[in-house]
Amino acid sequence: PFWKNSTQAAHRAFQRNMVWGVVQNFKAALKYRGGWRGLFEHMYTNGDYPFKMGTYIGCDAAGNRYYENRVDYPFGQHRWVEPGDIHNFDSSSIPPEWHGWMTSMNDVPPSQEDEYFAAASAQIQDSCRSNAPDKHNVGHQEELFNFHHLHNQSQIRSRGYGIGNPVVGLPPGAKDSYYTQPGSPYNDASTTPAPMIGDLDEGKGGGRPYKSDKWAERLRTPEEKEAIAKENEDEAQKALEAYKLAQQQRIAMMRKRGGGTVVG
């Protein structure tokens, strides 16, 4: 039938166009990514980014690159970020000023904020004279430094006691950077050194202090524990022998008591 032949022809044309579109996307992505290496690197780390192309908007201090394409993608997908460190990226790595632009809270990226503030402040008519040094509502801001550009400080913690965290670049022995509540045992300002009541190596100059008898028991070596057990056993044996001797003396004294007494 005519309609069947027309449908098959349309399907074959669609397949040809689809294949042609994929080929064109590959060609454009190869050019955009600088060759096969860049293409495969982005393909296996960033998902659809190898074939997602748009206008470069700006870059932050961590090397994250921000793009926009309002023509080929719907709202909500028209802005995206390509991480500067593709092997160690977290959503919290996006600075707050770029996060507002990424989520369409504003249309002015941080790279154009100065021009925006200047243009907006020029339209403001001052009702009275002001000696304030700032010309916009943001006011004075202290420069903020984040460890390896990680804005979520809870990630900067050791993976084990004193071993650091190679994922975020925290060296061994370095202090964790995440916030701790006052009173927490992990808060240096809320902890006090434990008072020590003795040292197992006091005669040798110290080295094994302890804060309780239970703590001292944990520090002792098996040989020391065996020697203490032997000493306790000897003392117990001596105490038992002294007790037996006292009992014998008591019995002897009791037998002498009343000797020569005439009954009747």
Side-chain angles (χ1 to χ4, degrees):
F2 173 76
W3 63 268
K4 186 175 182 180
N5 294 333
S6 300
T7 303
Q8 292 176 350
H11 183 66
R12 288 193 296 269
F14 174 77
Q15 288 181 332
R16 286 195 300 270
N17 292 335
M18 183 177 65
V19 174
W20 178 250
V22 172
V23 173
Q24 293 300 314
N25 282 339
F26 257 99
K27 290 177 61 178
L30 283 171
K31 182 178 180 181
Y32 194 73
R33 302 297 172 186
W36 288 102
R37 178 177 179 179
L39 177 63
F40 285 125
E41 186 178 57
H42 282 77
M43 182 184 298
Y44 286 102
T45 54
N46 295 327
D48 60 344
Y49 290 154
F51 307 102
K52 196 170 185 178
M53 291 161 280
T55 303
Y56 175 76
I57 301 299
C59 179
D60 61 21
N64 301 319
R65 301 174 299 278
Y66 299 87
Y67 296 86
E68 183 178 36
N69 187 341
R70 298 189 177 187
V71 177
D72 300 325
Y73 302 103
F75 182 84
Q77 301 178 14
H78 63 296
R79 293 174 180 173
W80 66 94
V81 57
E82 294 187 2
D85 185 1
I86 58 178
H87 302 290
N88 182 25
F89 180 75
D90 186 82
S91 58
S92 62
S93 300
I94 300 177
E97 58 270 19
W98 278 103
H99 181 268
W101 178 82
M102 283 281 295
T103 55
S104 300
M105 297 173 65
N106 57 68
D107 290 330
V108 180
S111 57
Q112 302 174 10
E113 279 186 348
D114 294 338
E115 294 81 357
Y116 173 78
F117 289 144
S121 59
Q123 304 298 325
I124 299 176
Q125 297 181 359
D126 297 332
S127 59
C128 60
R129 182 177 178 179
S130 173
N131 294 324
D134 301 302
K135 298 298 182 181
H136 51 74
N137 65 319
V138 176
H140 174 73
Q141 289 180 308
E142 294 289 347
E143 191 172 1
L144 179 65
F145 296 92
N146 291 317
F147 182 84
H148 287 195
H149 308 288
L150 294 173
H151 301 276
N152 183 5
Q153 299 295 295
S154 63
Q155 297 177 335
I156 308 173
R157 63 174 62 191
S158 178
R159 297 175 68 90
Y161 182 76
I163 66 173
N165 189 342
V167 177
V168 299
L170 187 68
K175 178 176 171 52
D176 298 337
S177 299
Y178 62 91
Y179 174 77
T180 54
Q181 292 281 355
S184 169
Y186 300 102
N187 191 324
D188 293 339
S190 302
T191 57
T192 56
M196 299 299 173
I197 63 175
D199 196 314
L200 295 179
D201 295 333
E202 187 174 0
K204 302 177 182 179
R208 288 189 295 170
Y210 58 90
K211 58 184 179 180
S212 65
D213 293 336
K214 189 173 183 179
W215 191 277
E217 182 66 18
R218 294 176 178 175
L219 294 177
R220 291 190 178 98
T221 62
E223 293 77 10
E224 292 174 337
K225 293 179 181 179
E226 185 178 354
I228 292 175
K230 183 68 169 58
E231 183 180 353
N232 293 336
E233 185 179 350
D234 293 343
E235 291 180 357
Q237 184 66 26
K238 290 179 181 180
L240 180 60
E241 292 177 357
Y243 174 76
K244 290 181 178 180
L245 180 60
Q247 285 291 94
Q248 291 175 0
Q249 292 175 352
R250 178 176 175 275
I251 293 173
M253 292 178 62
M254 291 293 292
R255 287 176 179 176
K256 293 179 180 179
R257 193 177 294 180
T261 303
V262 178
V263 180

